[in-house]
Amino acid sequence: MFFISTRRTVERFRWSKMLGGKNAMSRGRKRFLLLYLLLMMILPGTQALCAENAAQKNAEISYDQQTRIFRITAADTSYIFGVNERQQLQSVYWGQRLFAGDTIAAVQSAGGSSSFDLPINATQQEYVAWGGGLYVTPDVKISFGDGNRDLVLQYVSHQIEGNHLSILLKDVQREVFVTLTYTVDAETGILARCAQVENRTKAALTVEELNAATWNLPAASDYQLDQLTGKWAGEWNLQRSLMHPGKIMMESRRGSTGDEINPWFALERGVAQGEESSDVWFGALGWSGSWQIAIEQDYAHQVRITGGYDGFDSSYRLAPGESLQSPTFYAGFAQHGMGEASRLLHRYELHTLAPQRAHWHPRPVLYNSWEATGFDVDEAGQEALAEKAASIGVERFVMDDGWFGQRNSDHAGLGDWNVNSKKFPHGLKPLIDKVRSLGMDFGLWVEPEMVNADSDLYRAHPDWVLNFPGRPRTEGRNQMVLNLARPEVRDYVYGVLDHLLSSYDIAFLKWDYNRNWSEPGWSSVAMENQKKVYVDYVRNLYGILAQLRAAHPDVEIESCSGGGARVDLGILQLTDEVWPSDNTDPFDRLAIQNGFSYAYAPGLMMSWVTDSPNWVNGRATSLLYRFLSSMQGSLGIGANLKPWTAEDFKTAKTLIAQYKQIRPIVQQGSLFRLIEPNADSPYAVTESVARDKQQAVVFAFLHSSQQGLAYPPVYLRGLDPEASYRIKVLDGSLNGAVPTSASGSFWMHYGLHFNLRGDYQAAALLLEKEGVQ
Ligand code: GLA
């Protein structure tokens, strides 16, 4: 029996994996990584609100010598596979936790039913190479220098260490080894899987495809596939479709995560029973570069999901002795529907993946200048905004784009990270001092991976951008992508950011990335290494972020990509929050935030209150409605405060004070999507329940009321049925004679009856267990 190791061990393990394993790291990077790991060991890694962590269930990984069966059990989940007679790793079971006493028989590979149907395809394999007649998506595909492209992997050995299992596989003939790693999270049962290919032959080889894992699901014909699709300012649309035999390829060829489709999936069975009762298998990739997830269902309704680096246009040459690490593919199982699946992921993101601090502190309420001043920033204007922001209770003041180089529009300046001396004649210090004197900390916008043609950096180093020499260079928003895979570019980017953070009292970086790749050439390395750019770019990005975090451990970072185009479980390990969309209309935002919450925690999502009518769609809404919509995540203010009336300031001050009271519940609690915003319904309701069930917060929204149709009863969830909860209406009102306190059971079954009428109305409630202050 093996029990979970400390979370510090998990941290150490995760970081070395993320940066690509020992062979992939330069000495400089290793030094900084070691420094970071040292810091991680010093931090206790606990969080104030994570009460349930204290009573963690143990994770258990075991191997039965007789049956050759591996069993991974954690939380409410069991994951079982074995070694079959062909020495393949064969999946057996993944679902609700099984009793330890129930024995699992040894596995036998599946026989093909005809000559067209080779057994290698019919057997549900944990990890399979392209070779031996494989037609499904391979986990790994290799070309050898002698023309051979066949690879057949077999089990060699394994090692169990706490909550990690590693398994060594080897080709039937050649000295090509693959190490699979499984790490299980005791609290959620979520598994993290990755693979490392090692070339121990005497010649170079090329890895054409490398996936982290294949997940096999029980055969069934009633799977519903959930995916999140979108575009700029329209991210996080939930798509649901019935699975049928065939292959669905989810992919980004953009060089980064992208917003067209997020690297997340869920497969549900029994959806008709609702948000809290289907069986759900869900997963997400931790990779911020081009990626792929193939979902295949065969004639026998077996489903397999394979994900990792995108195979299109990328490959990785390994000299003898070198190895390549895949991204990590995370997946879990929930027996209480999509609601529970999301909550498990949220918990995992908040407590395991996201950077941990010695003491948990809530996400601060921030102000951002972008929608107020655009590129037109200067010392006096920003100070005036800062004074107003401080007066309503803002805790962090962030100056957005426009402060550097010749950045007066999006045509110039990216790459020149020196303070614009016309706008800030004395540097940023006077503004930062002012912000600090107002009791706020200071944040700054950067977009360090990009360059405008009109910049000193591009004039000096035109070869630093991704390009094919002699070919046209496609611009997006007048900018090009710096090739971060190049060591000198990496060093430049780290250098300018480190200099900024060392020179100024900066608490927060909004790290933007406003276009995707084109002409992804890297001509300064040998031809056979040029396609490594897809992997090496992202590794260097992660390396810069890790190095900055180690050198400036108090600085927080937001991942923004013109909205939500770089949100994934990779970037989330190195940043503290993400910007889900440039669309700040509070009604559109309800659906955006709802979609986001399927895969990512509301506590990681920044959400601004901006001006009305909104610039995106011209919709006019009240300040209250805008606030309540944004209070569903981490609250920010992005409005122009200059024309605000005294009444606006008063409303904002009251609402920000309310938000500070409820934010631990919103940011760290369990989310229940009670009524989802969708085109067929004018209603939307969310509930967040504190992990110890002491408090709950409810937000209710009405698009427009209709004569004769009252707001539907809202049945709360997740409360302690026998405890008494006192209700406090923060905004809006309830219908009729509602008791001020009643049992959790009452609120969950009798429900809440909101009195909302008119257009774009909203209400917020706080429920507290009696006796709680
Ligand atoms: C992107 C971001 C915005 C803003 C602008 C600045 O579009 O998503 O929030 O920072 O860049 O140019």
Side-chain angles (χ1 to χ4, degrees):
M1 208 181 265
F2 297 88
F3 295 106
I4 187 163
S5 60
T6 64
R7 63 159 291 115
R8 287 174 216 172
T9 315
V10 178
E11 282 291 340
R12 266 178 285 158
F13 178 80
R14 180 159 66 80
W15 280 97
S16 75
K17 290 290 175 204
M18 273 201 77
L19 293 176
K22 60 179 174 156
N23 294 330
M25 246 187 285
S26 75
R27 231 194 248 152
R29 277 196 280 164
K30 261 190 215 162
R31 252 204 332 265
F32 280 102
L33 183 66
L34 283 174
L35 180 63
Y36 188 86
L37 295 177
L38 211 69
L39 280 165
M40 296 312 297
M41 290 169 76
I42 296 164
L43 301 180
T46 53
Q47 298 197 359
L49 283 179
C50 190
E52 283 180 26
N53 269 355
Q56 263 193 5
K57 290 179 186 171
N58 289 318
E60 192 185 314
I61 301 179
S62 64
Y63 176 69
D64 185 323
Q65 298 269 357
Q66 248 95 61
T67 54
R68 304 178 87 197
I69 291 286
F70 291 97
R71 253 173 125 117
I72 304 176
T73 307
D76 295 327
T77 303
S78 292
Y79 186 95
I80 301 172
F81 60 96
V83 184
N84 68 21
E85 80 291 356
R86 293 173 190 253
Q87 311 307 318
Q88 299 161 333
L89 291 184
Q90 186 172 330
S91 310
V92 175
Y93 175 85
W94 183 23
Q96 197 169 337
R97 187 182 181 117
L98 301 181
F99 290 107
D102 292 332
T103 48
I104 305 285
V107 280
Q108 283 285 318
S109 64
S113 55
S114 76
S115 58
F116 296 98
D117 202 15
L118 305 177
I120 193 170
N121 298 288
T123 303
Q124 292 193 302
Q125 292 194 58
E126 286 284 297
Y127 200 88
V128 60
W130 190 73
L134 189 82
Y135 308 129
V136 293
T137 304
D139 287 291
V140 55
K141 179 174 188 291
I142 287 177
S143 302
F144 294 87
D146 63 359
N148 171 43
R149 300 191 304 280
D150 183 71
L151 187 76
V152 176
L153 295 173
Q154 290 186 330
Y155 168 84
V156 177
S157 63
H158 73 269
Q159 216 181 334
I160 299 171
E161 231 183 290
N163 63 335
H164 309 299
L165 162 66
S166 62
I167 298 179
L168 189 66
L169 308 174
K170 184 191 167 297
D171 178 56
V172 280
Q173 287 177 339
R174 301 195 175 196
E175 298 295 295
V176 174
F177 288 82
V178 176
T179 305
L180 307 184
T181 309
Y182 296 73
T183 304
V184 67
D185 178 55
E187 197 192 351
T188 59
I190 289 177
L191 274 163
R193 287 182 58 187
C194 58
Q196 185 174 40
V197 186
E198 199 186 339
N199 178 11
R200 291 193 210 160
T201 71
K202 292 193 167 55
L205 54 80
T206 303
V207 181
E208 308 281 0
E209 295 253 2
L210 182 62
N211 287 298
T214 288
W215 306 98
N216 289 293
L217 269 53
S221 56
D222 61 346
Y223 280 112
Q224 174 185 276
L225 172 64
D226 301 337
Q227 296 164 301
L228 290 164
T229 63
K231 62 182 275 289
W232 174 78
E235 299 89 340
W236 309 109
N237 300 284
L238 185 69
Q239 309 294 343
R240 304 190 125 139
S241 54
L242 203 61
M243 276 297 291
H244 56 74
K247 174 170 173 173
I248 292 167
M249 193 67 174
M250 298 165 62
E251 183 185 28
S252 163
R253 296 182 178 184
R254 292 167 177 264
S256 85
T257 324
D259 50 20
E260 216 169 6
I261 187 155
N262 191 265
W264 167 91
F265 72 89
L267 279 151
E268 297 186 60
R269 295 191 61 204
V271 269
Q273 296 146 31
E275 164 95 352
E276 301 293 337
S277 47
S278 55
D279 283 343
V280 187
W281 291 262
F282 57 93
L285 264 180
W287 184 243
S288 311
S290 289
W291 58 270
Q292 63 180 33
I293 298 178
I295 304 181
E296 291 163 287
Q297 186 169 39
D298 67 13
Y299 173 83
H301 295 123
Q302 290 187 155
V303 175
R304 63 196 305 280
I305 302 138
T306 306
Y309 295 133
D310 185 39
F312 177 79
D313 194 48
S314 117
S315 63
Y316 211 96
R317 188 171 187 268
L318 294 180
E322 285 185 341
S323 59
L324 175 66
Q325 175 79 43
S326 77
T328 303
F329 202 173
Y330 302 85
F333 169 76
Q335 51 169 317
H336 299 297
M338 205 49 244
E340 189 198 12
S342 300
R343 290 188 292 276
L344 289 173
L345 257 177
H346 296 171
R347 221 175 292 164
Y348 187 65
E349 288 157 5
L350 292 169
H351 301 152
T352 303
L353 286 188
Q356 308 291 315
R357 308 253 163 213
H359 301 288
W360 183 80
H361 64 85
R363 307 290 324 133
V365 176
L366 68 70
Y367 180 82
N368 179 289
S369 66
W370 175 244
E371 291 198 21
T373 47
F375 298 100
D376 202 7
V377 295
D378 63 21
E379 195 177 302
Q382 294 300 296
E383 287 189 8
L385 275 175
E387 274 174 12
K388 292 184 191 307
S391 77
I392 51 175
V394 165
E395 298 159 311
R396 171 170 289 167
F397 183 84
V398 183
M399 178 162 64
D400 210 280
D401 202 348
W403 59 269
F404 53 90
Q406 296 309 306
R407 187 73 169 165
N408 299 314
S409 73
D410 63 15
H411 286 264
L414 283 178
D416 300 341
W417 298 103
N418 47 305
V419 180
N420 181 304
S421 58
K422 276 209 189 92
K423 299 176 181 181
F424 298 93
H426 314 289
L428 296 180
K429 191 165 184 312
L431 171 62
I432 296 176
D433 286 349
K434 173 79 178 177
V435 166
R436 300 289 292 153
S437 76
L438 290 164
M440 301 181 290
D441 65 30
F442 181 78
L444 196 62
W445 180 93
V446 290
E447 194 179 357
E449 298 155 78
M450 300 287 168
V451 68
N452 286 116
D454 186 0
S455 68
D456 292 342
L457 184 70
Y458 187 72
R459 281 183 281 273
H461 300 289
D463 54 322
W464 277 14
V465 300
L466 291 172
N467 75 93
F468 293 117
R471 300 285 306 166
R473 300 173 181 195
T474 306
E475 295 186 7
R477 207 193 188 203
N478 314 302
Q479 63 197 52
M480 290 167 274
V481 184
L482 289 171
N483 182 358
L484 224 56
R486 293 177 67 136
E488 63 274 46
V489 176
R490 182 205 175 279
D491 292 347
Y492 171 80
V493 168
Y494 176 75
V496 290
L497 294 171
D498 179 53
H499 179 68
L500 266 176
L501 296 177
S502 307
S503 311
Y504 291 114
D505 183 5
I506 294 172
F508 173 81
L509 288 179
K510 174 177 171 185
W511 184 304
D512 215 334
Y513 182 80
N514 274 310
R515 60 158 297 182
N516 294 135
W517 292 13
S518 57
E519 300 96 18
W522 179 9
S523 57
S524 56
V525 293
M527 185 74 85
E528 62 269 24
N529 287 325
Q530 293 187 4
K531 289 182 171 184
K532 288 181 173 178
V533 68
Y534 288 93
V535 172
D536 288 0
Y537 180 110
V538 180
R539 276 193 190 157
N540 280 353
L541 168 68
Y542 288 166
I544 293 170
L545 283 162
Q547 195 173 332
L548 282 173
R549 295 195 77 95
H552 307 278
D554 293 332
V555 174
E556 295 189 338
I557 302 173
E558 175 182 286
S559 169
C560 171
S561 177
R566 191 152 68 186
V567 180
D568 58 77
L569 296 187
I571 205 79
L572 275 179
Q573 298 178 44
L574 291 154
T575 54
D576 301 272
E577 65 185 36
V578 295
W579 179 236
S581 180
D582 273 358
N583 185 343
T584 55
D585 172 73
F587 173 71
D588 283 5
R589 197 74 184 208
L590 294 181
I592 287 173
Q593 294 175 174
N594 183 65
F596 180 95
S597 78
Y598 270 73
Y600 303 102
L604 299 168
M605 174 184 74
M606 175 43 61
S607 197
W608 300 346
V609 173
T610 56
D611 291 325
S612 172
N614 190 279
W615 67 276
V616 170
N617 52 19
R619 180 180 284 120
T621 52
S622 69
L623 193 53
L624 174 74
Y625 185 88
R626 281 177 270 152
F627 258 98
L628 296 195
S629 167
S630 295
M631 279 158 70
Q632 291 187 310
S634 178
L635 178 65
I637 317 295
N640 185 1
L641 302 179
K642 286 182 196 148
W644 271 24
T645 62
E647 192 57 31
D648 291 337
F649 279 105
K650 196 171 154 219
T651 306
K653 196 171 174 178
T654 309
L655 290 165
I656 289 175
Q658 279 179 7
Y659 178 72
K660 287 178 182 169
Q661 197 191 345
I662 60 172
R663 68 181 159 185
I665 312 164
V666 173
Q667 293 177 7
Q668 292 274 304
S670 303
L671 177 75
F672 294 86
R673 294 177 285 256
L674 299 185
I675 304 180
E676 296 194 57
N678 69 55
D680 305 328
S681 156
Y683 316 111
V685 185
T686 60
E687 178 195 9
S688 304
V689 182
R691 295 282 306 285
D692 58 7
K693 301 189 180 189
Q694 292 287 322
Q695 293 165 307
V697 176
V698 181
F699 292 107
F701 300 88
L702 172 70
H703 177 271
S704 45
S705 56
Q706 216 180 316
Q707 195 280 327
L709 290 182
Y711 206 91
V714 172
Y715 304 107
L716 300 190
R717 293 188 198 135
L719 301 177
D720 180 348
E722 286 167 20
S724 172
Y725 289 87
R726 179 171 293 277
I727 198 159
K728 190 165 151 196
V729 178
L730 300 175
D731 293 288
S733 63
L734 293 172
N735 256 332
V738 187
T740 49
S741 66
S743 66
S745 179
F746 179 90
W747 301 121
M748 292 194 287
H749 301 294
Y750 181 86
L752 293 167
H753 300 259
F754 285 97
N755 181 21
L756 288 176
R757 287 158 58 87
D759 296 335
Y760 303 115
Q761 299 295 313
L765 304 175
L766 172 65
L767 286 102
E768 294 180 297
K769 247 191 203 177
E770 302 280 23
V772 174
Q773 298 306 309

